[in-house]
Amino acid sequence: MNSDLKPMVLGNGLTLRFDDQSNRYFGDFHRICICVQICLPEQVALSAGLAGGKDFLERKLEKMGVPSESLEKERKILLDAFLATGLTYLEKKDFPQQLLLKLQKEKSRPVFLRN
């Protein structure tokens, strides 16, 4: 829906990618859904041997019942709140290593449980 969500590269090498999956679900009401991918630096993912598609953590930012005239304002509020609360944690120097450990420990879910 909105294509101006540019990736952010943090000081520790992590990249935040934003994918807007918002949609209208009833009348003039919309669901704002922004998928945030917290991606490992490329050299860290390659050196750890993570297969393609396993080198990021995904979080969804959602808000339901947003009228058309408030879409941009609410989208900005949602993103600003995420960045205000998450950036201090995500920008820590040791966070890429912590994320790498988490991704290596994650077991793949069986096909019938995947969304």
Side-chain angles (χ1 to χ4, degrees):
M1 192 171 198
N2 187 3
S3 61
D4 65 348
L5 300 173
K6 294 185 174 53
M8 290 177 63
V9 179
L10 304 180
N12 57 8
L14 290 176
T15 302
L16 301 180
R17 292 191 178 102
F18 305 97
D19 181 24
D20 190 353
Q21 299 177 349
S22 302
N23 64 314
R24 182 182 63 83
Y25 68 91
F26 179 77
D28 188 39
F29 295 105
H30 299 260
R31 174 185 70 113
I32 296 175
C33 180
I34 300 171
C35 290
V36 181
Q37 288 183 347
I38 305 162
C39 304
L40 283 171
E42 203 170 307
Q43 65 275 12
V44 173
L46 290 175
S47 66
L50 290 177
K54 300 281 263 181
D55 61 346
F56 64 89
L57 181 66
E58 187 171 82
R59 292 291 176 248
K60 286 190 179 192
L61 311 175
E62 291 187 271
K63 184 163 185 176
M64 297 289 290
V66 180
S68 293
E69 67 270 1
S70 302
L71 275 175
E72 289 304 316
K73 181 181 87 169
E74 292 296 330
R75 184 179 288 116
K76 182 175 176 9
I77 289 171
L78 204 58
L79 280 171
D80 288 348
F82 171 76
L83 294 174
T85 57
L87 273 185
T88 55
Y89 182 70
L90 294 172
E91 287 182 325
K92 289 182 180 179
K93 286 190 178 214
D94 64 338
F95 188 79
Q97 288 76 26
Q98 293 174 354
L99 179 59
L100 177 62
L101 289 173
K102 178 180 175 28
L103 292 173
Q104 287 175 331
K105 288 180 183 177
E106 262 184 13
K107 294 181 180 176
S108 64
R109 296 171 60 186
V111 174
F112 62 88
L113 291 177
R114 293 184 190 156
N115 291 346

